[in-house]
mmCIF file with all atom_site columns, all heavy atoms in Angstrom:
data_model
loop_
_atom_site.group_PDB
_atom_site.id
_atom_site.type_symbol
_atom_site.label_atom_id
_atom_site.label_alt_id
_atom_site.label_comp_id
_atom_site.label_asym_id
_atom_site.label_entity_id
_atom_site.label_seq_id
_atom_site.pdbx_PDB_ins_code
_atom_site.Cartn_x
_atom_site.Cartn_y
_atom_site.Cartn_z
_atom_site.occupancy
_atom_site.B_iso_or_equiv
_atom_site.pdbx_formal_charge
_atom_site.auth_seq_id
_atom_site.auth_comp_id
_atom_site.auth_asym_id
_atom_site.auth_atom_id
_atom_site.pdbx_PDB_model_num
ATOM 1  N N   . PRO A 1 150 ? 83.335 125.025 95.260 1.00 96.00 ? 161 PRO A N   1
ATOM 2  C CA  . PRO A 1 150 ? 84.560 124.283 94.825 1.00 96.00 ? 161 PRO A CA  1
ATOM 3  C C   . PRO A 1 150 ? 84.695 124.369 93.332 1.00 96.00 ? 161 PRO A C   1
ATOM 4  O O   . PRO A 1 150 ? 83.706 124.338 92.569 1.00 96.00 ? 161 PRO A O   1
ATOM 5  C CB  . PRO A 1 150 ? 84.280 122.837 95.285 1.00 96.00 ? 161 PRO A CB  1
ATOM 6  C CG  . PRO A 1 150 ? 82.775 122.729 95.310 1.00 96.00 ? 161 PRO A CG  1
ATOM 7  C CD  . PRO A 1 150 ? 82.274 124.045 95.703 1.00 96.00 ? 161 PRO A CD  1
ATOM 8  N N   . LEU A 1 151 ? 85.947 124.422 92.832 1.00 95.00 ? 162 LEU A N   1
ATOM 9  C CA  . LEU A 1 151 ? 86.232 124.524 91.406 1.00 95.00 ? 162 LEU A CA  1
ATOM 10 C C   . LEU A 1 151 ? 87.445 123.666 91.074 1.00 95.00 ? 162 LEU A C   1
ATOM 11 O O   . LEU A 1 151 ? 88.355 123.418 91.917 1.00 95.00 ? 162 LEU A O   1
ATOM 12 C CB  . LEU A 1 151 ? 86.582 126.013 91.042 1.00 95.00 ? 162 LEU A CB  1
ATOM 13 C CG  . LEU A 1 151 ? 85.474 127.038 91.204 1.00 95.00 ? 162 LEU A CG  1
ATOM 14 C CD1 . LEU A 1 151 ? 86.078 128.392 91.044 1.00 95.00 ? 162 LEU A CD1 1
ATOM 15 C CD2 . LEU A 1 151 ? 84.334 126.812 90.203 1.00 95.00 ? 162 LEU A CD2 1
ATOM 16 N N   . THR A 1 152 ? 87.505 123.239 89.827 1.00 92.00 ? 163 THR A N   1
ATOM 17 C CA  . THR A 1 152 ? 88.702 122.545 89.299 1.00 92.00 ? 163 THR A CA  1
ATOM 18 C C   . THR A 1 152 ? 89.728 123.526 88.854 1.00 92.00 ? 163 THR A C   1
ATOM 19 O O   . THR A 1 152 ? 89.383 124.725 88.684 1.00 92.00 ? 163 THR A O   1
ATOM 20 C CB  . THR A 1 152 ? 88.381 121.588 88.166 1.00 92.00 ? 163 THR A CB  1
ATOM 21 O OG1 . THR A 1 152 ? 87.941 122.428 87.032 1.00 92.00 ? 163 THR A OG1 1
ATOM 22 C CG2 . THR A 1 152 ? 87.244 120.650 88.519 1.00 92.00 ? 163 THR A CG2 1
ATOM 23 N N   . ALA A 1 153 ? 90.944 123.103 88.639 1.00 90.00 ? 164 ALA A N   1
ATOM 24 C CA  . ALA A 1 153 ? 92.007 123.986 88.111 1.00 90.00 ? 164 ALA A CA  1
ATOM 25 C C   . ALA A 1 153 ? 91.559 124.511 86.715 1.00 90.00 ? 164 ALA A C   1
ATOM 26 O O   . ALA A 1 153 ? 91.777 125.725 86.438 1.00 90.00 ? 164 ALA A O   1
ATOM 27 C CB  . ALA A 1 153 ? 93.295 123.195 87.966 1.00 90.00 ? 164 ALA A CB  1
ATOM 28 N N   . ALA A 1 154 ? 90.951 123.701 85.906 1.00 87.00 ? 165 ALA A N   1
ATOM 29 C CA  . ALA A 1 154 ? 90.520 124.197 84.569 1.00 87.00 ? 165 ALA A CA  1
ATOM 30 C C   . ALA A 1 154 ? 89.423 125.243 84.716 1.00 87.00 ? 165 ALA A C   1
ATOM 31 O O   . ALA A 1 154 ? 89.436 126.229 83.978 1.00 87.00 ? 165 ALA A O   1
ATOM 32 C CB  . ALA A 1 154 ? 90.041 122.995 83.739 1.00 87.00 ? 165 ALA A CB  1
ATOM 33 N N   . GLN A 1 155 ? 88.524 125.056 85.612 1.00 88.00 ? 166 GLN A N   1
ATOM 34 C CA  . GLN A 1 155 ? 87.489 126.085 85.761 1.00 88.00 ? 166 GLN A CA  1
ATOM 35 C C   . GLN A 1 155 ? 88.052 127.406 86.258 1.00 88.00 ? 166 GLN A C   1
ATOM 36 O O   . GLN A 1 155 ? 87.591 128.469 85.914 1.00 88.00 ? 166 GLN A O   1
ATOM 37 C CB  . GLN A 1 155 ? 86.458 125.543 86.821 1.00 88.00 ? 166 GLN A CB  1
ATOM 38 C CG  . GLN A 1 155 ? 85.531 124.464 86.290 1.00 88.00 ? 166 GLN A CG  1
ATOM 39 C CD  . GLN A 1 155 ? 84.668 123.868 87.315 1.00 88.00 ? 166 GLN A CD  1
ATOM 40 O OE1 . GLN A 1 155 ? 85.094 123.692 88.446 1.00 88.00 ? 166 GLN A OE1 1
ATOM 41 N NE2 . GLN A 1 155 ? 83.422 123.499 86.954 1.00 88.00 ? 166 GLN A NE2 1
ATOM 42 N N   . LEU A 1 156 ? 89.068 127.335 87.082 1.00 86.00 ? 167 LEU A N   1
ATOM 43 C CA  . LEU A 1 156 ? 89.674 128.598 87.537 1.00 86.00 ? 167 LEU A CA  1
ATOM 44 C C   . LEU A 1 156 ? 90.513 129.283 86.431 1.00 86.00 ? 167 LEU A C   1
ATOM 45 O O   . LEU A 1 156 ? 90.525 130.516 86.336 1.00 86.00 ? 167 LEU A O   1
ATOM 46 C CB  . LEU A 1 156 ? 90.632 128.314 88.724 1.00 86.00 ? 167 LEU A CB  1
ATOM 47 C CG  . LEU A 1 156 ? 89.948 128.209 90.108 1.00 86.00 ? 167 LEU A CG  1
ATOM 48 C CD1 . LEU A 1 156 ? 90.848 127.468 91.073 1.00 86.00 ? 167 LEU A CD1 1
ATOM 49 C CD2 . LEU A 1 156 ? 89.644 129.607 90.604 1.00 86.00 ? 167 LEU A CD2 1
ATOM 50 N N   . ALA A 1 157 ? 91.096 128.490 85.620 1.00 74.00 ? 168 ALA A N   1
ATOM 51 C CA  . ALA A 1 157 ? 91.986 129.072 84.591 1.00 74.00 ? 168 ALA A CA  1
ATOM 52 C C   . ALA A 1 157 ? 91.224 129.511 83.344 1.00 74.00 ? 168 ALA A C   1
ATOM 53 O O   . ALA A 1 157 ? 91.714 130.357 82.620 1.00 74.00 ? 168 ALA A O   1
ATOM 54 C CB  . ALA A 1 157 ? 93.028 128.018 84.171 1.00 74.00 ? 168 ALA A CB  1
ATOM 55 N N   . HIS A 1 158 ? 90.024 129.024 83.132 1.00 59.00 ? 169 HIS A N   1
ATOM 56 C CA  . HIS A 1 158 ? 89.269 129.345 81.941 1.00 59.00 ? 169 HIS A CA  1
ATOM 57 C C   . HIS A 1 158 ? 87.811 129.668 82.246 1.00 59.00 ? 169 HIS A C   1
ATOM 58 O O   . HIS A 1 158 ? 86.930 128.795 82.190 1.00 59.00 ? 169 HIS A O   1
ATOM 59 C CB  . HIS A 1 158 ? 89.354 128.120 80.958 1.00 59.00 ? 169 HIS A CB  1
ATOM 60 C CG  . HIS A 1 158 ? 90.702 127.714 80.639 1.00 59.00 ? 169 HIS A CG  1
ATOM 61 N ND1 . HIS A 1 158 ? 91.518 128.435 79.771 1.00 59.00 ? 169 HIS A ND1 1
ATOM 62 C CD2 . HIS A 1 158 ? 91.492 126.665 81.003 1.00 59.00 ? 169 HIS A CD2 1
ATOM 63 C CE1 . HIS A 1 158 ? 92.688 127.859 79.635 1.00 59.00 ? 169 HIS A CE1 1
ATOM 64 N NE2 . HIS A 1 158 ? 92.659 126.723 80.401 1.00 59.00 ? 169 HIS A NE2 1
ATOM 65 N N   . HIS A 1 159 ? 87.574 130.883 82.574 1.00 47.00 ? 170 HIS A N   1
ATOM 66 C CA  . HIS A 1 159 ? 86.193 131.348 82.724 1.00 47.00 ? 170 HIS A CA  1
ATOM 67 C C   . HIS A 1 159 ? 86.118 132.674 82.039 1.00 47.00 ? 170 HIS A C   1
ATOM 68 O O   . HIS A 1 159 ? 87.113 133.375 81.809 1.00 47.00 ? 170 HIS A O   1
ATOM 69 C CB  . HIS A 1 159 ? 85.688 131.339 84.167 1.00 47.00 ? 170 HIS A CB  1
ATOM 70 C CG  . HIS A 1 159 ? 86.471 132.149 85.090 1.00 47.00 ? 170 HIS A CG  1
ATOM 71 N ND1 . HIS A 1 159 ? 86.195 133.458 85.367 1.00 47.00 ? 170 HIS A ND1 1
ATOM 72 C CD2 . HIS A 1 159 ? 87.557 131.876 85.926 1.00 47.00 ? 170 HIS A CD2 1
ATOM 73 C CE1 . HIS A 1 159 ? 87.029 133.999 86.241 1.00 47.00 ? 170 HIS A CE1 1
ATOM 74 N NE2 . HIS A 1 159 ? 87.846 132.982 86.598 1.00 47.00 ? 170 HIS A NE2 1
ATOM 75 N N   . ASP A 1 160 ? 84.920 133.118 81.739 1.00 39.00 ? 171 ASP A N   1
ATOM 76 C CA  . ASP A 1 160 ? 84.688 134.195 80.747 1.00 39.00 ? 171 ASP A CA  1
ATOM 77 C C   . ASP A 1 160 ? 85.095 135.598 81.293 1.00 39.00 ? 171 ASP A C   1
ATOM 78 O O   . ASP A 1 160 ? 85.637 136.391 80.585 1.00 39.00 ? 171 ASP A O   1
ATOM 79 C CB  . ASP A 1 160 ? 83.253 134.222 80.267 1.00 39.00 ? 171 ASP A CB  1
ATOM 80 C CG  . ASP A 1 160 ? 82.945 133.040 79.369 1.00 39.00 ? 171 ASP A CG  1
ATOM 81 O OD1 . ASP A 1 160 ? 83.903 132.510 78.827 1.00 39.00 ? 171 ASP A OD1 1
ATOM 82 O OD2 . ASP A 1 160 ? 81.775 132.700 79.285 1.00 39.00 ? 171 ASP A OD2 1
ATOM 83 N N   . GLU A 1 161 ? 84.735 135.871 82.498 1.00 38.00 ? 172 GLU A N   1
ATOM 84 C CA  . GLU A 1 161 ? 84.931 137.191 83.049 1.00 38.00 ? 172 GLU A CA  1
ATOM 85 C C   . GLU A 1 161 ? 85.594 137.250 84.391 1.00 38.00 ? 172 GLU A C   1
ATOM 86 O O   . GLU A 1 161 ? 84.977 137.609 85.399 1.00 38.00 ? 172 GLU A O   1
ATOM 87 C CB  . GLU A 1 161 ? 83.581 137.947 83.079 1.00 38.00 ? 172 GLU A CB  1
ATOM 88 C CG  . GLU A 1 161 ? 82.964 138.144 81.752 1.00 38.00 ? 172 GLU A CG  1
ATOM 89 C CD  . GLU A 1 161 ? 81.737 139.029 81.826 1.00 38.00 ? 172 GLU A CD  1
ATOM 90 O OE1 . GLU A 1 161 ? 81.859 140.171 82.393 1.00 38.00 ? 172 GLU A OE1 1
ATOM 91 O OE2 . GLU A 1 161 ? 80.680 138.620 81.335 1.00 38.00 ? 172 GLU A OE2 1
#
Side-chain angles (χ1 to χ4, degrees):
L162 297 170
T163 66
Q166 287 172 323
L167 277 161
H169 303 288
H170 59 89
D171 291 337
E172 297 188 51

